[in-house]
Amino acid sequence: MPSLSDATRGRVLFGGDYNPEQWPEEIWPEDARLMKEAGVTSVTVGVFSWARIEPRPGVRDFGWLDRLMDLLHGSGIGVVLATPTASPPPWMGSLHPETLPRDEDGRTVWWGSRQHFCPSSPVYRRYAAALAEDLAGRYGGHPALAMWHINNEYCTHCWCDETARHFRRWLRARHGTLDALNESWGTSFWSQRYDSWEEIIPPRRAQYTKNPGQVLDFKRFTSDALLECYEAERDIVARHSPRVPVTTNFMPLWSGQDAWKWAEREDVVSVDVYPDPKDPYRGQYNAMLGDMTRSQARGPWALMEQAAGAVNWRGVNHPKPRGLNRLLSLQSVAHGADVICYFQWRQSRQGAEKFHSGMLSHAGERGRAFQEVKRIGAELAALGPHVAGTALTAEVVVLHDWDSWWADQQDGRPSELVEYTELVRAWHRALWESNIPVDFARPDHDLSGYRLILVPHLYLLGDRAIENLVRYVRDGSTLVCGFLTGVADEDDRVRPGGMDARLRELFGIGTVHEWWPRAAGEQVRCDGFLAGLWSEELELSTGEPVARYRDGELAGLPAVVRNGRAWYVSTLPEPAALRALLAEAADGAGVRPVLAGLPAGVEAVRRGELLFLLNHAPTAVTAPVAGRHRELLGGRTVDGAVELERYGVAVLRELPSDPAAPRAGGG
Ligand code: GLA
């Protein structure tokens, strides 16, 4: 099977989405020249080119793409070639209205934007396959071809009749019999029992709260239906070019695709990451998505899209301050990326994204965006041979799971304030601020090799996952679990006792009497810290209270419980307290930070032989680093400490110590 290294060949790929069909052809040579100047190694072409390639059903116009591929190849620029199947041309919906998605209310989602296809539509799939076939037949052997990029951010949902038929087939395969389905969905409640498969529909608009089992299965089904679309196109292009890796770009914190499952079916795991420049923890966000994607890829991954400056889809779209694009790009490399790309190369003048930044902004080659891009391109070219293909090691793993996330999004829960991704972020941030490297994993994965297992919040846990956790603790790992974990089984059925009995035994919890969600902004005092969002009325068996609630109804009851190597945190401690708690658990498990004693805001990451120091603070700092190092970006020797400008980065490689010189201090 091909892999990312077949595309990178010892480099860090650098580039972005290139949409030349938006521009007169006379501009293309200038694009190629400026790409060279910026150190671009590859561009993603064709993502939204369906109407250009197939202007009428079955007709092909490849002439422009032939010329473009040759031009790029002649300039030494590789092509990540996309199957343009994310945005069917208007003729498709017009001739075949059944290819258009229907929303929950049965309303048609029309063409005129993008992603307007029903993933279950055989007609859509037939056209998409034919196009992939011709594209791969024509360019599968082209020397510019570096990677295949299937579709784009698979994210459509559809509730149409074709989807209903497809959903029923999927349900038959999952449940086997109607009785099993009725049992799984708990249809005895509210007279929902199904007597025939034909009665089953996708969870469309309903009078009141929908059946949670049906909604959960529909989320699983939709992810699988999209995956079928991906795999069909993947198989076609792979048949034409078996040595060229295939990917599709994920939206990482979008729940619609079970990325663990998808990643297993990709040669390269790629992702689009858009931290908000205004978010004070944008660096943590970027790090977390890098850690997640690296874990899904089980090695180097591709940052397929980021923004050189502002996006255009937030309420207020802030540009990146000077230096931030470089910092976040190098941070992604530190977290395992071997591809650093943008949406998009040349900022559009028309269309829905004309205010979205580009590598080459409206300000042109003299613009700040392009000047910064040039610097990043040059630095990645220098770093590539040292970093491409190298690994990171982590002794801490954060468990993350789509089934649980989906079940968590249901209506009718104890608190709508509990937001799964926010909890994952809060726990990751605690580790990130301590410079403790983390991987992510699914709870039923092989977790051997991790000293510390963290579960920020997994409301739904299957039996295999629970047995996994129990076994790893028994075998010597430390486990810290956040609140409302292990409550439901795979069918979203609440386990007796409000938490799985094996987990209660593990944490030394006798009874979970009540959940006490907290109001927005409400704080609860615990021994030594403030907490919020959630609390629980627990009665312990063998567990020891590490901290108790101090306020109100729960005063005196345990807030944080410890039973040997298993910890249970029944609330959300304020960030400093969560950091201290997880640092204590890490320390007890024998996990050490990459570097200690760094100034606030400085992140330290080790990848391969390199030590990345990343200054997320808006002021210059001096970071102590023991020993002598070669700084690879500036080409200087660093001895004992390194100066980092605001948003500055140093990439260090240790030098053999000079026996004549006294050793300088530092952490
Ligand atoms: C996504 C898409 C791109 C573009 C960007 C804008 O990542 O894949 O086509 O729309 O968003 O941020």
Short mmCIF file of all heavy atoms in Angstrom, two decimals, residues 578-619:
data_model
loop_
_atom_site.label_atom_id
_atom_site.label_comp_id
_atom_site.label_asym_id
_atom_site.label_seq_id
_atom_site.Cartn_x
_atom_site.Cartn_y
_atom_site.Cartn_z
N LEU A 578 -7.37 21.54 36.96
CA LEU A 578 -7.34 20.34 36.13
C LEU A 578 -5.89 20.06 35.70
O LEU A 578 -5.44 18.91 35.68
CB LEU A 578 -8.24 20.53 34.89
CG LEU A 578 -8.41 19.31 33.99
CD1 LEU A 578 -9.02 18.14 34.75
CD2 LEU A 578 -9.29 19.65 32.78
N ARG A 579 -5.17 21.15 35.39
CA ARG A 579 -3.76 20.99 35.01
C ARG A 579 -2.98 20.35 36.15
O ARG A 579 -2.22 19.40 35.95
CB ARG A 579 -3.17 22.36 34.65
CG ARG A 579 -1.81 22.26 34.02
CD ARG A 579 -1.38 23.59 33.43
NE ARG A 579 -1.20 24.61 34.46
CZ ARG A 579 -1.75 25.80 34.43
NH1 ARG A 579 -2.53 26.17 33.43
NH2 ARG A 579 -1.53 26.68 35.40
N ALA A 580 -3.18 20.85 37.36
CA ALA A 580 -2.44 20.33 38.51
C ALA A 580 -2.82 18.87 38.77
O ALA A 580 -1.95 18.02 39.04
CB ALA A 580 -2.74 21.18 39.74
N LEU A 581 -4.10 18.58 38.64
CA LEU A 581 -4.56 17.21 38.91
C LEU A 581 -3.97 16.23 37.90
O LEU A 581 -3.45 15.17 38.27
CB LEU A 581 -6.09 17.22 38.81
CG LEU A 581 -6.83 16.02 39.33
CD1 LEU A 581 -8.10 16.51 40.01
CD2 LEU A 581 -7.21 15.05 38.26
N LEU A 582 -4.01 16.60 36.62
CA LEU A 582 -3.50 15.68 35.61
C LEU A 582 -1.97 15.60 35.67
O LEU A 582 -1.39 14.55 35.40
CB LEU A 582 -3.98 16.08 34.21
CG LEU A 582 -5.50 16.01 34.02
CD1 LEU A 582 -5.89 16.30 32.57
CD2 LEU A 582 -6.07 14.66 34.45
N ALA A 583 -1.34 16.70 36.07
CA ALA A 583 0.13 16.67 36.21
C ALA A 583 0.51 15.73 37.36
O ALA A 583 1.49 14.99 37.27
CB ALA A 583 0.66 18.08 36.46
N GLU A 584 -0.30 15.74 38.41
CA GLU A 584 -0.03 14.85 39.54
C GLU A 584 -0.20 13.38 39.12
O GLU A 584 0.64 12.53 39.42
CB GLU A 584 -0.98 15.18 40.69
CG GLU A 584 -0.68 14.42 41.96
CD GLU A 584 -1.76 14.62 43.03
OE1 GLU A 584 -2.47 15.64 43.00
OE2 GLU A 584 -1.88 13.72 43.89
N ALA A 585 -1.27 13.13 38.38
CA ALA A 585 -1.49 11.75 37.92
C ALA A 585 -0.36 11.33 36.98
O ALA A 585 0.13 10.20 37.04
CB ALA A 585 -2.85 11.65 37.22
N ALA A 586 0.05 12.26 36.11
CA ALA A 586 1.13 11.95 35.16
C ALA A 586 2.42 11.66 35.91
O ALA A 586 3.12 10.68 35.63
CB ALA A 586 1.32 13.11 34.18
N ASP A 587 2.70 12.50 36.87
CA ASP A 587 3.92 12.32 37.64
C ASP A 587 3.91 10.97 38.36
O ASP A 587 4.90 10.22 38.32
CB ASP A 587 4.02 13.48 38.65
CG ASP A 587 5.40 13.55 39.24
OD1 ASP A 587 6.37 13.62 38.45
OD2 ASP A 587 5.52 13.46 40.49
N GLY A 588 2.77 10.65 38.94
CA GLY A 588 2.65 9.37 39.64
C GLY A 588 2.81 8.19 38.70
O GLY A 588 3.25 7.11 39.10
N ALA A 589 2.44 8.42 37.43
CA ALA A 589 2.55 7.33 36.44
C ALA A 589 3.94 7.29 35.82
O ALA A 589 4.21 6.48 34.93
CB ALA A 589 1.49 7.52 35.35
N GLY A 590 4.80 8.21 36.24
CA GLY A 590 6.17 8.23 35.71
C GLY A 590 6.30 8.96 34.39
O GLY A 590 7.28 8.79 33.67
N VAL A 591 5.32 9.82 34.08
CA VAL A 591 5.38 10.58 32.82
C VAL A 591 6.02 11.94 33.10
O VAL A 591 5.63 12.62 34.06
CB VAL A 591 3.95 10.81 32.27
CG1 VAL A 591 3.98 11.69 31.04
CG2 VAL A 591 3.27 9.48 31.98
N ARG A 592 6.98 12.33 32.28
CA ARG A 592 7.65 13.62 32.48
C ARG A 592 7.36 14.55 31.30
O ARG A 592 7.21 14.07 30.18
CB ARG A 592 9.17 13.43 32.57
CG ARG A 592 9.62 12.43 33.61
CD ARG A 592 9.67 13.04 35.03
NE ARG A 592 9.84 11.98 36.01
CZ ARG A 592 8.85 11.46 36.75
NH1 ARG A 592 7.63 11.92 36.65
NH2 ARG A 592 9.07 10.50 37.61
N PRO A 593 7.34 15.86 31.56
CA PRO A 593 7.16 16.79 30.44
C PRO A 593 8.38 16.79 29.52
O PRO A 593 9.47 16.37 29.93
CB PRO A 593 6.99 18.15 31.12
CG PRO A 593 7.46 17.99 32.51
CD PRO A 593 7.44 16.53 32.85
N VAL A 594 8.20 17.28 28.31
CA VAL A 594 9.33 17.38 27.37
C VAL A 594 10.41 18.26 27.99
O VAL A 594 11.59 17.90 27.99
CB VAL A 594 8.84 17.98 26.03
CG1 VAL A 594 10.01 18.27 25.10
CG2 VAL A 594 7.85 17.04 25.37
N LEU A 595 10.02 19.41 28.47
CA LEU A 595 10.95 20.30 29.19
C LEU A 595 10.18 20.95 30.31
O LEU A 595 9.00 21.28 30.14
CB LEU A 595 11.45 21.43 28.27
CG LEU A 595 12.59 21.20 27.31
CD1 LEU A 595 12.98 22.53 26.68
CD2 LEU A 595 13.79 20.58 28.00
N ALA A 596 10.82 21.15 31.43
CA ALA A 596 10.16 21.87 32.52
C ALA A 596 10.80 23.25 32.64
O ALA A 596 11.87 23.49 32.08
CB ALA A 596 10.33 21.09 33.82
N GLY A 597 10.12 24.15 33.31
CA GLY A 597 10.70 25.46 33.60
C GLY A 597 10.70 26.43 32.43
O GLY A 597 11.46 27.39 32.41
N LEU A 598 9.83 26.19 31.45
CA LEU A 598 9.77 27.11 30.31
C LEU A 598 8.88 28.31 30.66
O LEU A 598 7.95 28.17 31.46
CB LEU A 598 9.20 26.39 29.09
CG LEU A 598 10.12 25.36 28.45
CD1 LEU A 598 9.38 24.56 27.39
CD2 LEU A 598 11.35 26.05 27.85
N PRO A 599 9.13 29.47 30.06
CA PRO A 599 8.24 30.61 30.30
C PRO A 599 6.82 30.29 29.83
O PRO A 599 6.64 29.48 28.92
CB PRO A 599 8.85 31.73 29.44
CG PRO A 599 10.19 31.26 29.02
CD PRO A 599 10.21 29.77 29.12
N ALA A 600 5.84 30.93 30.46
CA ALA A 600 4.44 30.68 30.08
C ALA A 600 4.26 30.94 28.59
O ALA A 600 4.81 31.91 28.05
CB ALA A 600 3.53 31.60 30.87
N GLY A 601 3.51 30.09 27.94
CA GLY A 601 3.23 30.29 26.51
C GLY A 601 4.21 29.60 25.61
O GLY A 601 4.00 29.55 24.39
N VAL A 602 5.30 29.07 26.16
CA VAL A 602 6.27 28.38 25.31
C VAL A 602 5.98 26.88 25.32
O VAL A 602 5.93 26.26 26.38
CB VAL A 602 7.73 28.66 25.74
CG1 VAL A 602 8.70 27.85 24.87
CG2 VAL A 602 8.02 30.14 25.64
N GLU A 603 5.78 26.36 24.15
CA GLU A 603 5.49 24.93 24.00
C GLU A 603 6.76 24.22 23.54
O GLU A 603 7.48 24.72 22.68
CB GLU A 603 4.39 24.77 22.94
CG GLU A 603 4.02 23.34 22.65
CD GLU A 603 3.08 23.19 21.45
OE1 GLU A 603 2.77 24.21 20.77
OE2 GLU A 603 2.69 22.05 21.17
N ALA A 604 7.01 23.06 24.12
CA ALA A 604 8.16 22.26 23.70
C ALA A 604 7.66 20.93 23.15
O ALA A 604 6.86 20.25 23.81
CB ALA A 604 9.09 22.01 24.88
N VAL A 605 8.08 20.59 21.95
CA VAL A 605 7.66 19.33 21.33
C VAL A 605 8.90 18.64 20.77
O VAL A 605 9.72 19.29 20.10
CB VAL A 605 6.67 19.57 20.15
CG1 VAL A 605 6.13 18.25 19.63
CG2 VAL A 605 5.54 20.49 20.55
N ARG A 606 9.01 17.36 21.02
CA ARG A 606 10.09 16.59 20.44
C ARG A 606 9.55 15.74 19.30
O ARG A 606 8.60 14.98 19.47
CB ARG A 606 10.69 15.65 21.48
CG ARG A 606 12.11 15.91 21.77
CD ARG A 606 12.66 14.97 22.82
NE ARG A 606 13.11 15.70 23.99
CZ ARG A 606 14.14 16.52 24.00
NH1 ARG A 606 14.85 16.73 22.91
NH2 ARG A 606 14.49 17.15 25.11
N ARG A 607 10.15 15.90 18.14
CA ARG A 607 9.79 15.03 17.02
C ARG A 607 11.08 14.47 16.46
O ARG A 607 11.94 15.25 16.01
CB ARG A 607 9.02 15.82 15.96
CG ARG A 607 8.64 14.92 14.80
CD ARG A 607 7.76 15.54 13.76
NE ARG A 607 7.56 14.56 12.70
CZ ARG A 607 7.12 14.81 11.49
NH1 ARG A 607 6.76 16.06 11.18
NH2 ARG A 607 7.01 13.86 10.60
N GLY A 608 11.22 13.16 16.46
CA GLY A 608 12.48 12.57 16.03
C GLY A 608 13.60 13.12 16.87
O GLY A 608 13.52 13.14 18.11
N GLU A 609 14.64 13.61 16.21
CA GLU A 609 15.79 14.14 16.95
C GLU A 609 15.64 15.62 17.26
O GLU A 609 16.53 16.23 17.83
CB GLU A 609 17.05 14.00 16.08
CG GLU A 609 17.48 12.58 15.87
CD GLU A 609 18.85 12.56 15.21
OE1 GLU A 609 19.18 13.51 14.47
OE2 GLU A 609 19.58 11.59 15.43
N LEU A 610 14.55 16.20 16.80
CA LEU A 610 14.43 17.66 16.90
C LEU A 610 13.60 18.08 18.09
O LEU A 610 12.62 17.42 18.46
CB LEU A 610 13.79 18.21 15.62
CG LEU A 610 14.50 17.86 14.31
CD1 LEU A 610 13.83 18.54 13.14
CD2 LEU A 610 15.98 18.25 14.37
N LEU A 611 13.99 19.21 18.65
CA LEU A 611 13.22 19.82 19.73
C LEU A 611 12.66 21.14 19.19
O LEU A 611 13.43 22.03 18.82
CB LEU A 611 14.13 20.07 20.93
CG LEU A 611 13.50 20.85 22.08
CD1 LEU A 611 12.34 20.08 22.71
CD2 LEU A 611 14.55 21.18 23.15
N PHE A 612 11.35 21.24 19.13
CA PHE A 612 10.70 22.47 18.68
C PHE A 612 10.32 23.30 19.90
O PHE A 612 9.68 22.79 20.82
CB PHE A 612 9.40 22.16 17.92
CG PHE A 612 9.59 21.58 16.54
CD1 PHE A 612 10.01 20.27 16.38
CD2 PHE A 612 9.33 22.34 15.41
CE1 PHE A 612 10.17 19.73 15.11
CE2 PHE A 612 9.49 21.81 14.14
CZ PHE A 612 9.91 20.50 13.98
N LEU A 613 10.71 24.56 19.90
CA LEU A 613 10.25 25.49 20.93
C LEU A 613 9.38 26.53 20.24
O LEU A 613 9.83 27.20 19.30
CB LEU A 613 11.43 26.16 21.63
CG LEU A 613 12.30 25.21 22.46
CD1 LEU A 613 13.47 25.95 23.09
CD2 LEU A 613 11.47 24.53 23.56
N LEU A 614 8.15 26.64 20.71
CA LEU A 614 7.17 27.47 20.01
C LEU A 614 6.62 28.50 20.98
O LEU A 614 6.03 28.14 22.01
CB LEU A 614 6.03 26.56 19.49
CG LEU A 614 6.51 25.43 18.57
CD1 LEU A 614 5.87 24.10 18.96
CD2 LEU A 614 6.19 25.74 17.11
N ASN A 615 6.82 29.76 20.67
CA ASN A 615 6.38 30.81 21.58
C ASN A 615 4.98 31.31 21.18
O ASN A 615 4.84 32.09 20.24
CB ASN A 615 7.39 31.97 21.57
CG ASN A 615 6.97 33.08 22.53
OD1 ASN A 615 6.16 32.86 23.42
ND2 ASN A 615 7.53 34.27 22.35
N HIS A 616 3.97 30.89 21.91
CA HIS A 616 2.60 31.31 21.60
C HIS A 616 2.26 32.66 22.24
O HIS A 616 1.16 33.17 22.06
CB HIS A 616 1.61 30.24 22.08
CG HIS A 616 1.78 28.93 21.36
ND1 HIS A 616 1.19 28.70 20.14
CD2 HIS A 616 2.50 27.83 21.64
CE1 HIS A 616 1.52 27.47 19.72
NE2 HIS A 616 2.33 26.93 20.61
N ALA A 617 3.20 33.20 23.00
CA ALA A 617 2.93 34.46 23.69
C ALA A 617 3.19 35.64 22.74
O ALA A 617 4.04 35.56 21.86
CB ALA A 617 3.84 34.57 24.91
N PRO A 618 2.47 36.76 22.95
CA PRO A 618 2.65 37.90 22.06
C PRO A 618 3.86 38.76 22.41
O PRO A 618 3.99 39.89 21.94
CB PRO A 618 1.34 38.68 22.24
CG PRO A 618 0.86 38.30 23.59
CD PRO A 618 1.38 36.94 23.91
N THR A 619 4.74 38.25 23.27
CA THR A 619 5.95 38.99 23.63
C THR A 619 7.17 38.08 23.48
O THR A 619 7.04 36.86 23.57
CB THR A 619 5.88 39.44 25.11
OG1 THR A 619 5.50 38.30 25.88
CG2 THR A 619 4.88 40.55 25.33
#
